[in-house]
Amino acid sequence: MSIHSLHSSDIDITGFAGIRERVLVMSPQRFPRRPDHVWSGIGSLQYMAHAYFTAKGQTGMHFHEHVDIVSIITRGEIEHRGSLGDGSRIAAHQVLVQCAGQEGFRHNEMNVNDEITGMVQLWLTPSLVTSKQQSHQIFNIETQNTHVYGLGSCFESDTQISILQVNDRQTIQLDKGDWFYVLAGKLRQADRQYERGCLMKSNQTEQLTCESAVTLIKFTIRP
């Protein structure tokens, strides 16, 4: 079978403070005790979790260094406090990208709602550019293909991350070496279905059909 998949529902819920999460990716370089069923990463991707904030939950103020963090809000809204971008709010269909640079940063992400707020969070090894300079950017997911990391002078990296929005009944191509993570909707290939919460990779080029409107995270490694 050429397409390999890992579904978040097959992973135990863990978490801290006001966060509950299912961790799908842990780089063995950063997490030497990675469980066997968790994938080891692609390119500079160190960590990936499908998470949610409890009602009025928050992470608590904490420090990061030597890392770029991409937070994709899937539901609700968070308020950001910290040494970069203090006071900003990030809502569903937006992406927050924070780069620690040489100085590192402190932050606390807070759910402003009485209901849960959903998030997929990615940690990446900084490129030569982001290892030197701090940054805090918010992207709106508005187009069929929104690049959020790995392109441009601020995020030049071997690992590119895009959010794809694909209409019902359209066909998409999963190239060898690329990964997809399904944020919403369903995909089908022959008799196999891939839905929200599914992480996919393939050892050859494959075509998949959208059974509904689909939103995906796409990870591409540049040669």
Side-chain angles (χ1 to χ4, degrees), residues 120-203:
V120 173
Q121 188 164 90
L122 317 169
W123 293 7
L124 297 109
T125 303
S127 67
L128 290 176
V129 174
T130 59
S131 65
K132 297 177 181 178
Q133 63 185 48
Q134 291 180 320
S135 65
H136 176 281
Q137 294 192 32
I138 298 171
F139 295 86
N140 295 318
I141 302 172
E142 295 178 337
T143 63
Q144 291 183 335
N145 189 354
T146 305
H147 296 288
V148 298
Y149 186 88
L151 289 175
S153 59
C154 291
F155 303 119
E156 195 68 34
S157 171
D158 65 348
T159 304
Q160 297 178 0
I161 299 173
S162 302
I163 311 298
L164 308 183
Q165 298 186 105
V166 187
N167 294 329
D168 183 17
R169 303 304 174 188
Q170 288 191 339
T171 299
I172 61 173
Q173 181 169 296
L174 175 57
D175 292 322
K176 179 181 179 180
D178 289 349
W179 288 16
F180 283 158
Y181 186 69
V182 185
L183 292 173
K186 296 179 181 179
L187 297 160
R188 179 172 293 278
Q189 185 205 42
D191 60 346
R192 297 197 69 193
Q193 182 173 277
Y194 305 93
E195 58 187 3
R196 178 183 178 274
C198 187
L199 181 61
M200 298 181 289
K201 62 183 176 181
S202 178
N203 55 24

Side-chain angles (χ1 to χ4, degrees), residues 67-124:
V67 69
D68 297 342
I69 299 177
V70 178
S71 302
I72 302 156
I73 307 303
T74 59
R75 172 181 174 181
E77 183 180 29
I78 62 170
E79 181 175 329
H80 169 84
R81 294 290 181 182
S83 54
L84 299 174
D86 186 62
S88 55
R89 289 199 173 196
I90 307 96
H93 308 298
Q94 291 186 311
V95 179
L96 171 62
V97 181
Q98 302 171 86
C99 300
Q102 293 179 324
E103 299 178 17
F105 66 86
R106 297 178 63 82
H107 71 160
N108 179 17
E109 313 296 359
M110 302 175 289
N111 181 9
V112 299
N113 300 312
D114 291 322
E115 299 179 349
I116 66 172
T117 287
M119 174 181 69
V120 173
Q121 188 164 90
L122 317 169
W123 293 7
L124 297 109

